[in-house]
Amino acid sequence: MNHFDEASCLLYLDGQLDGARAAELTAHFAGCGECRALLHALEKESRLLGAALLEQDEPLPDSLRVVPAPTAGSSSWVHWVWALSFGFAASAVLIFWAVVQPLAEQLDQLGFQASSLLSAVFVSGALWEGWEAMFEALQYAALISLGVLVLAVWRPWRRERIAVAMTLLGIALLLCIPTAASAAEIRRGPNSGVAAGETVNNDLIVFGSAVRIDGTVKGDLIAFAQDLTVNGHVTGDVILFSQLARIGGQVDGNIRAFGASVSLDSGPAKNVIVFARHFDLDPRASIGGGLIGFYATATLGGKINRDALLFAGDTMLDGTVGGDVSYRGNRLEIGPMAQIGGSTRAIGQSRPEVAAGAKLAQPVDFEFQPRRPGRLGRVAAGTYVFRQILAYVGAFLAGLLLIKLFPGLFAAARKATQRVGSAMGVGALVLVSGIAVVLFAILLMIVGTGAGIATLMLYVPILYGAQVFVGSYVGDRLMHKNDTLAPSVGALALGLLILRLLTNIPFLGFFVSAAILIWGTGAICIALWERTRLNVAPAIPAVPAA
Amino acid sequence: MTQPKAPERAIFQGDAKLADAIARVRAGDEEAWGELYRQFAPAIFRFCRRALPTPEDAEDATTEIFMKVREKLGQYDSQRPFSSWLYKVAANHCWDMLRRRHSRQDLETGDVETLPIESANPDQLSRLIDDQTNSGVRSALAQLPARARMVLVLRYYSDLTYEEIAEALKIPREAVGVALLRARQQLRRALTPQQTATHPATGDRS
C-alpha cells in the first residue's frame, strides 16, 4: 500500500479534495497508522498556527483609536474636494485681479511698471498694505499651489507628482522674478565692494559687513550688507538689504532699499521703493521718477519729480514733489520749503500741518481715519471678513489634503499634538532655526536659486499644518469631551474656526497664533522625525529646518 | 473542523446588526462607520502586525485599509461573510505595500520554491509542535519571507478559503495548497533551533 504525501494529507485536512479522492484517503487512514500519525501531526500544526496567530496579543495602539476616513463615501468626497479646490483657486484668482490689477494700473500711472506677475504681487501688494500684504501675497501663492496639489496629486499613486508640481511651481516663480541675476559677478568678504576707478562690466552681487561701491557698476547692483555706501556709478538698478545704507553716487535705474536706516544723498534716474525704519532724502537729492515709501519716520528734503506714495509713521516733507502726494499714516508735516505740483491727499489720524511757506498747487485733501484696534483699523470690514474666511478655508483644505494624502502622518502628528510640552519645545526650536532657514531661502531666491523657493514652499505647508493639527485637536477635545479621538472633518472645521476666532482677539490673538505655530510645528516635526527614523517613506518631505 | 475560527467571522457572519451597520455606513452614517471601525480595527491591526515587518507599517496599513474599505464598501457583496471581504481588502493592501517596497526577491520564496516537497516525519513534527509557545510561533513567522507569511496569515488568522486566498494573492487556486505547505515547511525550519540562524530576521522588532 502506497502512503500519501504531506500535500495530500493537508488538502484532505482542509477539505480540498473531491469526493472520490477524499474517500480513498479516508479508507487509507483507517488502515495505515503512519499516515494517520502524519495527519494528526498536521492537524496539530494547524491548531498551533491558529492558536498562535489568533491570540489577542496586542491591543490597538493609541494612534489607531482615531477613526480614519472621516468623510462621506468616496465619490461624494472626491467631488467635494474638487469643488472646494476649484472654488478656492477661483477666489484666489479673483482676489488677484480684483485687488492687484487696479493697483498695478495705479502704479503704472506713477511710473512703476508691473513687469511680471510676481513683481505685481510683491510690489503692488506691498503698496497696498506694506509688509502684511506681502506676507499675504505669499499665503495666496501657497494656497493656490495647495489647490493645484489637490488636483494634481489626488490619487495616492500620484504622490510622487508632488515633487514634480513643486518643482514646476518653483520654476514658474523663478521665471516671474524680473531681475534674475544668473550671470552676475559675486563678491564676498567683510570689506568687499568696488574701489574707486574700478569698473564692473556686469551685474554685481555683494555680500559683506561693510560694503563700499566707489567705482562703476555697469549693470545692476544687489548688495547684502550691514553698512553700505554707494558713492560710485551704477548704470542699472540698486537692490539693497542693509542695516545702514547711504547712496551718494549716481544711479541710472531704480533703487529698491530694505534697511533700518536708508539715506539718499543723490537720487536715482528712475524710481525709489524704500522699506526702512528711518528714511532720509537729503535736500541735494533728486529722484527722477516717483517714490514709494514704507517707513516709521522720514525726512524728505530733496526733489521727487513724479508722485510720492507714503505709508508711514511720521513724515517731515520739506522738499519738492513734482506730482501728487498720497499719504497714509500717523502724522504728516509739510515744511516751509515744500512745493507740491499735484494734489496732496492724506489719510490718517491727524490733519497734516502745513507751514506758512509751503507752496501747494492744491489744498490738502484730508480724510480722517480713526485708529481702530488691531488689524481692523487697516482693512475695510468686508475685505477683512473675506480674508478671514479665505484663511480659514485654506487651513481646512490643507487639513483635508493631509488626511487624504498622509493618513498615517496625520494620525502621528495628532498623537504628537497631545504631547503638549515636548511639541512646544521642539516647535520653538524648529521655528527659531527655521526663521534662519527662511531668511537664507529668501536670499537664495533673490540671487536666483530654485532651492530657496523650494525650501520656502516646504516651510509654508508646515506653518499651515500647525494650524490643522492644533485645530483638529481642539475640535476633538470639544466634540468628544475626554477620551478617544474620533477625528472628523467636523471636528477639524470646528477646531479651525475656534482658532481663527481666538487669533482675532485684539492683543491676545498674537500670543494665541504664536502658541499654535509653535505647538503644531513641534507636533509635525516629532511625527516626521519618528516616521523617517523608523520607516523611510519617500513620499513625505523632510523637515527643512535642522 | 479543527482550526479555531477567526472570532470576527464567528460573531458577525450573518449578523443582522452588522448588515445594518454596513447599510448605514453606505448611507453616509459617521456613527455607524465608527462602530464598524472599532469592531474590526483590532483584528485588522493584528492581521497587519503578522503580515508586515514593523509595528509602524502595521499602524499605517490599518488606517489605509480602513480608508479603502470605506471607499469600496459599495462593492461588498452582502451575501458573503464580511470578515472575508475585509481580510481580502487587507491582504491586497499589505501585499501591494510589500511589493512596492521590496525587491521581488524578497517576496519570492526563492530556492525554496524548487525544493522537492517532502513529507515530514510525523513523530518529529509532533515533538516540534509540542515544544512551541504561541509567541515563539509568531516570532518564527516574522522571520519568514513575505509570501510565506502572508499565506499562513490568510489561512490561519483570517480563516479564508483556498479560493479566497488565491484571489487575494492573485495566484491560481491549485497553487494555494503548495504555497501553504511550503510556508509550513519554512516555518518548521524557523522553529527548529539550530536552523533559525540561517534565516535572518526580516526586520521585525518584536
Side-chain angles (χ1 to χ4, degrees):
Chain A
M1 187 160 51
N2 282 331
H3 293 303
F4 287 100
D5 63 2
E6 197 181 326
S8 306
C9 291
L10 186 66
L11 292 177
Y12 175 80
L13 200 61
D14 281 353
Q16 297 297 316
L17 297 176
D18 57 50
R21 178 90 172 135
E24 192 185 334
L25 265 77
T26 310
H28 175 82
F29 288 135
C32 175
E34 205 176 319
C35 283
R36 215 163 42 233
L38 181 62
L39 189 70
H40 286 312
L42 285 175
E43 195 181 333
K44 204 154 79 174
E45 194 182 40
S46 294
R47 262 205 308 273
L48 172 69
L49 275 165
L53 290 181
L54 285 171
E55 191 171 52
Q56 304 199 355
D57 56 328
E58 274 184 82
L60 200 63
D62 286 339
S63 68
L64 291 177
R65 298 267 150 78
V66 168
V67 180
T71 47
S74 66
S75 55
S76 60
W77 152 269
V78 172
H79 292 315
W80 188 39
V81 170
W82 277 80
L84 205 68
S85 24
F86 271 125
F88 175 72
S91 60
V93 168
L94 192 81
I95 286 176
F96 264 85
W97 296 120
V99 174
V100 175
Q101 185 63 30
L103 279 162
E105 277 168 19
Q106 194 186 334
L107 271 177
D108 233 29
Q109 290 166 3
L110 277 172
F112 288 88
Q113 283 180 337
S115 58
S116 70
L117 180 66
L118 194 76
S119 63
V121 169
F122 276 74
V123 178
S124 321
L127 181 69
W128 185 25
E129 263 202 279
W131 285 109
E132 193 174 288
M134 268 180 97
F135 182 69
E136 278 174 14
L138 246 185
Q139 271 190 314
Y140 292 144
L143 284 174
I144 288 175
S145 58
L146 214 85
V148 171
L149 281 188
V150 171
L151 301 184
V153 302
W154 174 243
R155 292 171 194 286
W157 61 80
R158 291 198 192 154
R159 261 185 216 181
E160 62 267 29
R161 294 198 186 176
I162 293 177
V164 180
M166 285 282 183
T167 316
L168 286 179
L169 203 77
I171 292 170
L173 279 176
L174 259 182
L175 290 176
C176 291
I177 294 176
T179 51
S182 52
E185 183 174 335
I186 299 176
R187 295 189 180 185
R188 292 166 211 273
N191 298 305
S192 56
V194 180
E198 187 188 353
T199 301
V200 177
N201 284 312
N202 200 346
D203 293 346
L204 177 68
I205 301 172
V206 197
F207 300 85
S209 52
V211 173
R212 287 188 68 89
I213 309 292
D214 290 330
T216 305
V217 177
K218 290 195 169 166
D220 295 343
L221 169 70
I222 301 173
F224 301 91
Q226 251 172 4
D227 187 349
L228 173 76
T229 310
V230 180
N231 284 327
H233 181 190
V234 179
T235 62
D237 292 350
V238 173
I239 300 170
L240 62 92
F241 299 80
S242 182
Q243 207 174 6
L244 210 66
R246 279 184 307 277
I247 298 183
Q250 186 187 342
V251 177
D252 298 343
N254 301 291
I255 294 177
R256 294 172 198 171
F258 302 81
S261 172
V262 175
S263 56
L264 299 184
D265 293 343
S266 70
K270 290 182 181 167
N271 305 299
V272 175
I273 303 175
V274 173
F275 294 84
R277 200 160 66 221
H278 180 75
F279 174 55
D280 191 37
L281 186 68
D282 192 86
R284 288 168 292 169
S286 169
I287 297 173
L291 166 72
I292 299 179
F294 300 86
Y295 49 78
T297 57
T299 315
L300 306 178
K303 185 175 184 210
I304 300 161
N305 277 314
R306 296 177 76 165
D307 299 344
L309 250 140
L310 310 170
F311 296 82
D314 299 345
T315 302
M316 172 67 194
L317 173 62
D318 206 6
T320 307
V321 179
D324 301 339
V325 173
S326 300
Y327 175 85
R328 186 165 185 151
N330 187 33
R331 196 166 140 266
L332 174 65
E333 202 181 330
I334 299 176
M337 310 290 286
Q339 289 185 37
I340 298 175
S343 64
T344 308
R345 182 176 161 75
I347 301 171
Q349 284 88 48
S350 63
R351 178 169 285 280
E353 298 161 31
V354 184
K359 296 186 182 72
L360 274 60
Q362 295 166 30
V364 175
D365 173 14
F366 174 66
E367 183 186 323
F368 177 73
Q369 190 178 65
R371 185 187 287 273
R372 270 174 278 170
R375 304 163 63 156
L376 277 166
R378 274 172 268 161
V379 195
T383 324
Y384 169 78
V385 169
F386 182 63
R387 263 194 250 165
Q388 293 300 314
I389 292 171
L390 197 75
Y392 174 73
V393 169
F396 185 58
L397 189 68
L400 292 185
L401 199 69
L402 276 168
I403 292 174
K404 186 66 192 173
L405 281 185
F406 306 114
L409 178 68
F410 188 80
R414 287 179 77 257
K415 201 162 74 180
T417 312
Q418 292 166 17
R419 309 206 302 255
V420 181
S422 52
M424 284 279 196
V426 172
L429 197 75
V430 167
L431 280 179
V432 169
S433 54
I435 286 164
V437 168
V438 165
L439 283 181
F440 183 63
I442 291 172
L443 291 192
L444 281 178
M445 190 160 73
I446 286 155
V447 176
T449 309
I453 294 171
T455 317
L456 198 66
M457 287 285 145
L458 274 179
Y459 198 67
V460 172
I462 286 199
L463 297 190
Y464 257 92
Q467 263 192 75
V468 169
F469 293 120
V470 176
S472 152
Y473 176 75
V474 169
D476 283 335
R477 289 308 289 247
L478 288 171
M479 289 171 97
H480 308 261
K481 293 218 168 56
N482 29 25
D483 60 336
T484 53
L485 313 147
S488 65
V489 170
L492 180 68
L494 177 71
L496 284 174
L497 187 68
I498 287 165
L499 292 191
R500 192 122 291 277
L501 291 177
L502 285 177
T503 52
N504 276 291
I505 299 172
F507 183 69
L508 204 67
F510 172 76
F511 295 99
V512 174
S513 42
I516 293 169
L517 201 61
I518 293 171
W519 184 7
T521 309
I524 294 169
C525 294
I526 290 173
L528 281 174
W529 163 248
E530 282 180 350
R531 286 172 64 87
T532 46
R533 186 170 51 97
L534 296 170
N535 164 26
V536 181
I540 296 163
V543 193
Chain B
M1 202 64 223
T2 50
Q3 286 140 27
K5 282 278 176 192
E8 288 70 32
R9 175 173 277 192
I11 294 167
F12 293 107
Q13 193 164 11
D15 187 331
K17 209 176 131 197
L18 177 67
D20 173 59
I22 291 168
R24 278 191 295 143
V25 175
R26 280 175 173 171
D29 184 339
E30 288 305 324
E31 214 166 287
W33 173 244
E35 274 173 39
L36 206 66
Y37 177 81
R38 277 187 282 277
Q39 216 156 37
F40 289 99
I44 291 296
F45 173 67
R46 279 195 297 274
F47 174 91
C48 296
R49 278 292 281 126
R50 283 145 180 60
L52 297 172
T54 70
E56 292 74 29
D57 287 339
E59 283 186 38
D60 291 354
T62 305
T63 308
E64 286 156 20
I65 286 164
F66 274 95
M67 313 248 302
K68 267 190 193 164
V69 165
R70 183 71 195 260
E71 267 174 41
K72 293 182 172 177
L73 201 60
Q75 298 166 19
Y76 162 61
D77 172 8
S78 52
Q79 299 306 304
R80 295 170 64 188
F82 181 67
S83 77
S84 324
W85 180 79
L86 192 63
Y87 283 126
K88 221 163 70 191
V89 174
N92 280 330
H93 182 85
C94 293
W95 193 237
D96 284 348
M97 195 169 160
L98 289 165
R99 200 157 40 192
R100 266 203 309 273
R101 188 171 321 154
H102 298 290
S103 61
R104 280 189 71 76
Q105 204 189 358
D106 206 21
L107 294 175
E108 302 299 336
T109 44
D111 55 334
V112 178
E113 211 77 52
T114 59
L115 286 178
I117 299 177
E118 289 168 28
S119 293
N121 177 315
D123 296 335
Q124 261 180 16
L125 179 57
S126 196
R127 272 198 303 278
L128 182 68
I129 289 162
D130 287 338
D131 288 345
Q132 301 309 323
T133 60
N134 287 346
S135 60
V137 172
R138 282 197 298 273
S139 49
L141 184 79
Q143 298 168 28
L144 298 191
R147 190 192 188 84
R149 249 167 106 154
M150 186 62 83
V151 74
L152 289 177
V153 170
L154 288 178
R155 181 76 191 99
Y156 300 103
Y157 180 79
S158 309
D159 196 26
L160 296 192
T161 65
Y162 279 39
E163 284 79 7
E164 287 164 342
I165 293 172
E167 257 179 77
L169 293 182
K170 299 181 183 76
I171 57 175
R173 153 83 181 73
E174 297 73 34
V176 175
V178 180
L180 266 173
L181 199 64
R182 289 216 163 95
R184 284 167 78 134
Q185 286 173 342
Q186 282 172 288
L187 185 70
R188 281 174 214 158
R189 270 200 294 279
L191 286 170
T192 313
Q194 68 273 18
Q195 291 220 350
T196 46
T198 62
H199 292 267
T202 48
D204 197 307
R205 298 155 171 276
S206 64

